[in-house]
Amino acid sequence: DIQMTQSPGSVSASVGDRVVITCRASQHISNWLAWYQQKPGQAPRLLIYSASTLQSGVPPRFSGSESGSEFTLTISSVQPDDFATYYCQQANSFPRTFGPGTKVEIK
Amino acid sequence: QLQLRESGPGLVKPSETLSLICTVSGGPMSTKTYYWGWIRQSPAKGLEWIGSIDYSGSTFYKKSLRSRVTMSLDMSRNHLSLKLSDVTAADTAVYFCARSVWSVSWFDIWGQGTRVFVSS
């Protein structure tokens, strides 16, 4: 199975800060990567797919990028609604696997 | 707007079979480009993909769960079902159904999830 890792495990940020979350896969996954946002008691919400394509309805302050085997989710200016846990997921190989999550907390 | 909703017993005894239904509303399930999946989430394992099924009934299961998992579609009732046999405490989780498009890729529409406890 492809193992997904994320860093940091948690990050404290103030409204307006730029937040960067990194995801790495244990094997090459091309651009078969998605990012999700999850709030307590809710289902994950798809933010980005194909590593960098913004899902319809997602604010443009979210962006995704890829550099080699490292994938990045950037929130350019964190808003109060963005405090949540973020997960990456690979869709290159079966079984589909998710990262352990990065919690974005209010500083 | 397509909506998914999971339902099923919240408590299952060890060694029994967990059975869940996902009801799809707001649109048809039978579109050839749709794939329907089950994902569960627990503190121990995080988000875990269980498997997916396409409109024709072809299934894609996580290998480690394959011997215990059965997924099926009932297009006439707009239902997706999950059966997981011989459950243990390790199967305690929130179970989500979700849709992916064009392939078993990312999941763009999710149900709200249903919590299942395995306990005697």
Side-chain angles (χ1 to χ4, degrees), chain A residues 1-4 26-27 90 93-95 97, chain B residues 62-64:
Chain A
D1 297 2
I2 295 179
Q3 305 303 315
M4 306 300 292
S26 61
Q27 301 173 31
Q90 66 83 17
S93 302
F94 287 107
T97 49
Chain B
K62 183 174 183 178
K63 194 179 295 184
S64 61

Side-chain angles (χ1 to χ4, degrees), chain B residues 39-51:
Chain B
I39 300 107
R40 65 183 182 182
Q41 185 173 31
S42 64
K45 296 183 182 179
L47 287 163
E48 181 184 17
W49 175 77
I50 299 169

Side-chain angles (χ1 to χ4, degrees), chain A residues 43-44, chain B residues 1-7 21-29 34-39 53 73 78-81 95-101 106-114:
Chain B
Q1 173 76 344
L2 210 65
Q3 292 186 318
L4 282 62
R5 179 176 290 274
E6 306 87 348
S7 59
I21 294 287
C22 174
T23 301
V24 179
S25 59
M29 293 187 72
Y34 294 170
Y35 291 70
W36 305 95
W38 289 95
I39 300 107
I53 185 169
L73 294 177
N78 264 24
H79 280 178
L80 160 71
S81 73
Y95 285 75
F96 297 97
C97 59
R99 184 192 78 170
S100 51
V101 183
W106 21 83
F107 303 95
D108 64 339
I109 300 177
W110 294 63
Q112 87 283 1
T114 187

Side-chain angles (χ1 to χ4, degrees), chain B residues 27-105:
Chain B
M29 293 187 72
S30 56
T31 306
K32 292 183 179 181
T33 55
Y34 294 170
Y35 291 70
W36 305 95
W38 289 95
I39 300 107
R40 65 183 182 182
Q41 185 173 31
S42 64
K45 296 183 182 179
L47 287 163
E48 181 184 17
W49 175 77
I50 299 169
S52 295
I53 185 169
D54 73 10
Y55 76 99
S56 70
S58 294
T59 53
F60 310 80
Y61 296 150
K62 183 174 183 178
K63 194 179 295 184
S64 61
L65 297 172
R66 187 174 294 162
S67 63
R68 299 195 292 129
V69 172
T70 304
M71 293 183 186
S72 62
L73 294 177
D74 184 339
M75 301 290 194
S76 64
R77 300 173 70 183
N78 264 24
H79 280 178
L80 160 71
S81 73
L82 169 70
K83 293 186 186 299
L84 183 65
S85 64
D86 195 24
V87 297
T88 70
D91 296 309
T92 293
V94 177
Y95 285 75
F96 297 97
C97 59
R99 184 192 78 170
S100 51
V101 183
W102 294 110
S103 68
V104 182
S105 54

Side-chain angles (χ1 to χ4, degrees), chain A:
Chain A
D1 297 2
I2 295 179
Q3 305 303 315
M4 306 300 292
T5 58
Q6 289 183 232
S7 61
S10 64
V11 56
S12 293
S14 299
V15 173
D17 284 353
R18 180 172 177 265
V19 171
V20 178
I21 299 168
T22 297
C23 174
R24 289 185 178 86
S26 61
Q27 301 173 31
H28 180 66
I29 61 170
S30 186
N31 67 339
W32 288 96
L33 185 103
W35 289 98
Y36 298 88
Q37 175 194 68
Q38 187 179 32
K39 297 178 181 178
Q42 297 185 17
R45 171 197 180 197
L46 179 65
L47 298 176
I48 286 169
Y49 60 93
S50 296
S52 61
T53 302
L54 202 64
Q55 172 70 349
S56 175
V58 174
R61 62 180 179 272
F62 291 93
S63 65
S65 64
E66 170 194 359
S67 177
S69 61
E70 182 174 291
F71 300 87
T72 299
L73 173 69
T74 301
I75 310 173
S76 60
S77 175
V78 172
Q79 298 303 299
D81 191 48
D82 301 339
F83 293 99
T85 301
Y86 293 83
Y87 297 93
C88 59
Q89 177 230 323
Q90 66 83 17
N92 183 75
S93 302
F94 287 107
R96 304 315 189 208
T97 49
F98 293 82
T102 295
K103 188 172 184 179
V104 177
E105 300 173 300
I106 301 173
K107 185 183 285 186

